[in-house]
Amino acid sequence: MGELAWEKRQFGHRARLALTPAQARLMDDQAHAARTLWNCLHDWWTMLPKDKRSLAAADAAIRQARKEIDWLGVLPAQAAQAVLKTYVQAWRNCWDRRADAPNFKARLRTVMSVDIPQGRDLQIKRVHRRWGMVNIPKVGRVRFRWTKDLPVGKLADRENRITGARLVKDGLGWHIAFRVQTLETKPEPHTGPEIGIDAGVNLPLALSDGNHQDHGRGARLPDGTADRDKWLTPQEKAKLLRLEQRATHRKSFRKPKERSSNRLNRTYDQIKQLRARATRRVVDWQHQTTTHLARTYGTLVVEQLNITNMVKSAKGTIEAPGKNVAQKSGLNRSISQEAWGRTVTMLTYKAARHGGTLVKVPAPNTSLRCSACGFLTPGSREGQATFVCKNPDCGWLGNADWNAARNILHLYRIGLVAIPAAGRAVVRRTRGVQPPTAR
């Protein structure tokens, strides 16, 4: 037997915090201070001439601001430095054309978060089978839900440790996301079969071998309209409707440029809780499904989708108004609910963890071409879920998403157009040779 190959692995683990009311107020103050510090830093950075912008000058300005402004001083010094580091990285992403330029963070549209960049400040300890204790700077000892074994105490060393954490607040309260670094054996190459995966609306994940993955929640209601709250129970949907009507009624009494009342804000918080609960359910389904696929198959082939362009509105302009705007809006909402991009991200790192690979192929015509004869015959896709080949010599009948999954796998097997998950297109044919029109 040869020597085992080891590799470093970095991942995140999110746990729910059990804060007291006083601790929750301290956490809110820190999050608001971090957001305000970002806005002040952005204002300071954009006002200065380019030749005077530097990390040293920004660091000195932040230190001075924390001394002079009391409510900025509630933010720990390390968290303030993390704000500066994140802001500079945002500009680097913009210069490399990976993202847009950073901008001001609005109070109501920004996720409240605080960074703890050094893992030694956490002082994590397990106190119960289901609970652990973590130290949060300027807040104190806080309980968190223990759902995964972490490298703490005697289990921690130079290679296996927690390097930091981030505190994030959503509709269900405050959570802590640990940054974990471990040293694990490099997995052996996965010997499982190849599989083509098509992401759809009616059928979430269609597999080329017919073992489709369905979450049992229809994308549309019986009347054909899109179900925007399909991850909620009927009782939760009724409650959400009552809360939205209550919020609309209370908002009608608010004058222009007047702050929202406490009652209206409490109603908004209840709506956020239901939305966060639905998001947690879909993420849980995605984790379980992608883990099953990564363990079962050695090569996973998906489409190279530009989801941002797919969910653009069809309303058009005043001179050229769009068509079927309401139907396109419902389709966009259904696509956003399925979160195809998050599914592919999970498949990418989970396949690598189990020794498999994930490959992307171009998406054009995968849902219109017949997987049996290989011809593009107009009118073959009769509906959202039905495909009937109009080729007189074929006549294949089946689910449209299943047909697309078979085509996706075939594109990978013929080796004509394969796009690695993180790189450029790879063309494996001689220049001048055209791809075959039929199989």
Side-chain angles (χ1 to χ4, degrees), residues 218-405:
R220 303 187 181 278
L221 296 173
D223 58 359
T225 59
D227 187 3
R228 60 177 299 188
D229 304 309
K230 61 184 178 182
W231 289 95
L232 298 178
T233 63
Q235 295 78 12
E236 291 170 340
K237 290 182 181 180
K239 181 180 179 180
L240 179 61
L241 178 61
R242 292 195 303 268
L243 290 173
E244 290 178 339
Q245 292 174 345
R246 186 184 304 169
T248 303
H249 176 71
R250 290 177 175 173
K251 188 178 179 181
S252 63
F253 296 99
R254 190 180 64 179
K255 297 179 181 180
K257 298 183 179 180
E258 184 181 6
R259 293 185 61 181
S260 301
S261 64
N262 292 333
R263 290 184 177 181
L264 180 57
N265 289 332
R266 282 197 295 269
T267 305
Y268 284 152
D269 291 340
Q270 291 176 313
I271 294 176
K272 289 180 182 178
Q273 290 177 3
L274 289 176
R275 298 289 188 198
R277 190 177 302 172
T279 302
R280 177 170 293 185
R281 288 172 182 169
V282 62
V283 171
D284 178 69
W285 178 84
Q286 287 178 315
H287 272 296
Q288 295 188 31
T289 305
T290 53
T291 300
H292 167 70
L293 295 177
R295 289 175 176 173
T296 306
Y297 301 100
T299 303
L300 300 100
V301 190
V302 298
E303 291 177 305
Q304 177 75 28
L305 298 176
N306 191 337
I307 303 176
T308 303
N309 292 338
M310 295 176 63
V311 296
K312 284 186 177 179
S313 175
K315 62 181 180 181
T317 61
I318 298 178
E319 296 79 10
K323 299 180 180 179
N324 299 326
V325 179
Q327 292 85 340
K328 184 63 168 62
S329 177
L331 177 61
N332 293 347
R333 187 180 297 115
S334 300
I335 293 175
S336 300
Q337 277 193 328
E338 293 298 336
W340 297 339
R342 187 167 56 206
T343 301
V344 174
T345 301
M346 292 181 182
L347 283 174
T348 302
Y349 73 81
K350 290 184 180 182
R353 184 187 305 173
H354 291 86
T357 56
L358 184 134
V359 181
K360 295 182 180 180
V361 297
N365 298 327
T366 54
S367 60
L368 302 178
R369 185 185 303 275
C370 178
S371 60
C373 65
F375 282 98
L376 282 169
T377 309
S380 295
R381 184 158 186 174
E382 297 184 348
Q384 182 67 27
T386 306
F387 187 93
V388 180
C389 183
K390 302 302 181 181
N391 182 10
D393 299 331
C394 180
W396 185 84
L397 170 64
N399 182 273
D401 296 329
W402 182 30
N403 174 74

Side-chain angles (χ1 to χ4, degrees), residues 39-53:
N39 292 337
C40 294
L41 180 61
H42 180 67
D43 200 6
W44 176 87
W45 187 275
T46 52
M47 288 178 62
L48 280 182
K50 292 185 178 180
D51 57 343
K52 294 185 179 181
R53 300 174 185 174

